[in-house]
Amino acid sequence: MDGTGVSGILCNIQGGSIYLIEYLYHTQFATKHYAFNQIRDILPFPQCPQPQPPVYQPLY
């Protein structure tokens, strides 16, 4: 709600909180929790774009 954003893997929803694994540094990760009243939106990551086949144009 305060404009802070985080990215992580949703692990659990329990007792009015969500629990996420968040990347910290190098090979370090932490499980953090946030109360529902701290959260404005939970959005999934978008899908990777599918590669498009090349369009060949004649040279003349």
Side-chain angles (χ1 to χ4, degrees):
M1 295 299 269
D2 66 3
T4 302
V6 299
S7 295
I9 298 172
L10 179 62
C11 294
N12 196 6
I13 300 173
Q14 179 180 351
S17 293
I18 65 167
Y19 293 80
L20 300 176
I21 292 180
E22 296 178 19
Y23 173 72
L24 294 177
Y25 174 75
H26 197 238
T27 60
Q28 298 176 3
F29 295 84
T31 301
K32 296 186 179 180
H33 75 279
Y34 299 92
F36 287 160
N37 65 357
Q38 294 177 282
I39 301 167
R40 178 175 297 151
D41 292 316
I42 298 175
L43 303 170
F45 276 96
Q47 295 290 322
C48 291
Q50 296 299 316
Q52 299 296 316
V55 177
Y56 294 103
Q57 300 284 336
L59 298 175
Y60 50 91

